[in-house]
Amino acid sequence: MELASLTIHELHALLVRREITARQLTESVLARIAAVEGRVQAYITLDREGALAQAEAADQRLAAGETNPLCGIPLAIKDVLCTKGLRTTCGSKILENFLPPYDAAVIEKFKAAGAVLVGKASMDEFAMGSSNENCAYTVPRNPWRLDAICGGSSGGSAAAVAADECIAALGSDTGGSIRQPASHCGVVGIKPTYGRVSRYGLLAYASSLDQVGPLTKDVRDAAIMLQAISGHDQRDSTSINAPVPDYTAALVEGVAGMKIGIPKEYFGAGLDPEVEAAVRNAIRQLEAAGAEAVEVSLPHTEYGVAAYYIIAPAEASSNLARYDGVRFGYRDLAADTLHDMFCQSRSQGFGPEVKRRIIIGTYALSSGYYDAYYKKASQVRTLIVEDFTKALAQCDALLSPVAPTPAWRLGEKASDPLAMYLSDALTIPTNLAGLPGISVPCGLSTAGLPIGVQLQAAPFAEEKLLRLAFNLEQRLDLVGKKPALA
Ligand code: GLN
C-alpha cells in the first residue's frame, strides 16, 4: 500500500508510532505527483523543497512527542488562500507573480500544527466556475475519467485528493465550490457555517457567501481538518466567537432517532436518474441505521440561482476593484496614461468569465437598477433563509443530491454560461442561508463517475452532518475505492 493513498487518521497512527517518517510520507506524495500529475493537472504551483523541509521539521516534533493529528501530513491548498512567499494566483493571470506578504489564518493554523504544504491547487479564476475550466493555468481532469470535468471551483483540490496527490486539501465554497467538485471526484467535502472558519487571507469573491473548508478521503478526516481550521479570528469581522465542538467525538454516535428532511424541490426536473437512485439508496441506508426520513419543502429553491447570480457578481464587482495594476498584480507596462493603465491591466489580466461577472455586478448595483436587481435578490435571499428555518424546525438535517448530474465532459458547457450556472442549483441555497453542508460519496454512475449526497443543517450543526455522513459512509463502503486515472 502506497502511503499517499492513506487517510490522515491512518497516517497519524503510523507517524506517532514512528513506523513511518513525515519525510517518507512526503516523498511518497511527491512520487505520486511525479507519476500522475501529467494526466491530472491538479496543481498550479508545487513546492517540493518547502514540503520536504516542513516534513523534516515535523519529524523532529514527532520525535519529541507531538500528537497534533496534522503534524507531518501533506496537504494541498486551493490557490485562493494566501501563502507567505509562495505564489498565490487565484487561477488568474492578474496575480501571476503575486507573492503574498502574509499567511491566511487557516495556513497559520496548519503551519502551527506541523502540516506539510505540498502546493497550490488549481481553481476557476477567482473561484468563478463549476468545472475548473476557467483557469489561466491548468485545467484539472477528473481522476475517474480523464475526459470529464472535475467540478469547480475547487476542482484542483478535489482532483488532488481523489488521485492521492495529497492526503487532504482545502477549498472554498461560495455557491458549491467545495461540495460539487467533492461530489464529482468521489471525495468528502464540507462547507462550514458562515463564520465558523476565518476568511482572513482568503482572496475575496463574494464576501457574504465565501467560506473555507476541507476536502478529504473520508468523513473522519473531514472532522479532523474542520477541527484544525475552525475558531474565532478578530481579523475577520464575520468570524463567530463561539466554542468549537469536538468534531471527531461526534462520529461515535449512531443516527437512531435522527430525523432527515427530504426537500421535495431538490428532486425535480433535470435530476439525472442515476443520481436520484444513488441518493434514494443513501436515504434507505440511513433509515436502516435508525434515522427517520420525512418530506419537507423549500419552496423558493427555484429562485436561488437567479438571486445568487446577482448577489455574487455584485459583491465580486466591488471586491475585484482592487486589481487595478497599481499596488499588486499584473500591470500593462505599455499603457501611456493612468486611465489606459487601469483599463489595459484589467482587460489583459482578467479572463472572460470574471469580466462577465464584473459587468453583471456593476450593472446590478448601478443607480436605477439597484432596486430591481440587487435589492430584489436580497429579498429572495431572505425568503430562502426562512424556507430553511421552517424546514430545519422539522428535522435534524436535509438530505438531497449535491449536483443534478454526474461530471460532464470537458468543454461540454464551456460556451454556455447559463447551463453551467444551473448546475449549481442545489448547492447555492446553502450559501445564501449561511448554513453548513457536506458532500459524501454515495455511488458510481454506469459511466464510472462518482455521485455525492448532500446533507445540510442549521448554523453550527456541523456535528450532525458529520455524524450522519459517517454512519452513511460506514454502510456504503466506498472509501478506498480508487479511480483508474484513465
Ligand atoms: N459555481 C459557482 C460560481 O461560479 C460557485 C463558485 C464557488 O462556490 N466559488 O459562482
Side-chain angles (χ1 to χ4, degrees), residues 179-252:
R179 291 160 287 154
Q180 186 256 27
S183 173
H184 289 330
C185 290
V187 301
V188 176
I190 181 160
K191 177 205 113 51
T193 309
Y194 187 72
R196 179 83 287 181
V197 178
S198 172
R199 294 178 300 114
Y200 176 76
L202 170 75
L203 298 180
Y205 161 19
S207 306
S208 77
L209 303 160
D210 297 339
Q211 191 61 193
V212 181
L215 294 103
T216 59
K217 295 179 191 183
D218 70 6
V219 175
R220 183 173 292 281
D221 279 7
I224 293 169
M225 288 280 278
L226 184 63
Q227 196 81 50
I229 60 175
S230 294
H232 182 235
D233 181 1
Q234 285 188 331
R235 296 166 299 181
D236 172 359
S237 60
T238 63
S239 160
I240 301 286
N241 195 354
V244 179
D246 182 343
Y247 291 121
T248 43
L251 304 180
V252 297

Side-chain angles (χ1 to χ4, degrees), residues 78 126-130 152-153 172-178 205 308-309 312 357 421 424 428 431:
K78 185 178 183 181
F126 284 100
M128 297 176 189
S130 313
S153 64
S172 65
D173 192 314
T174 305
S177 279
I178 291 173
Y205 161 19
Y308 172 88
Y309 278 97
R357 306 242 182 144
Y421 297 173
D424 300 328
I428 277 173
N431 301 74

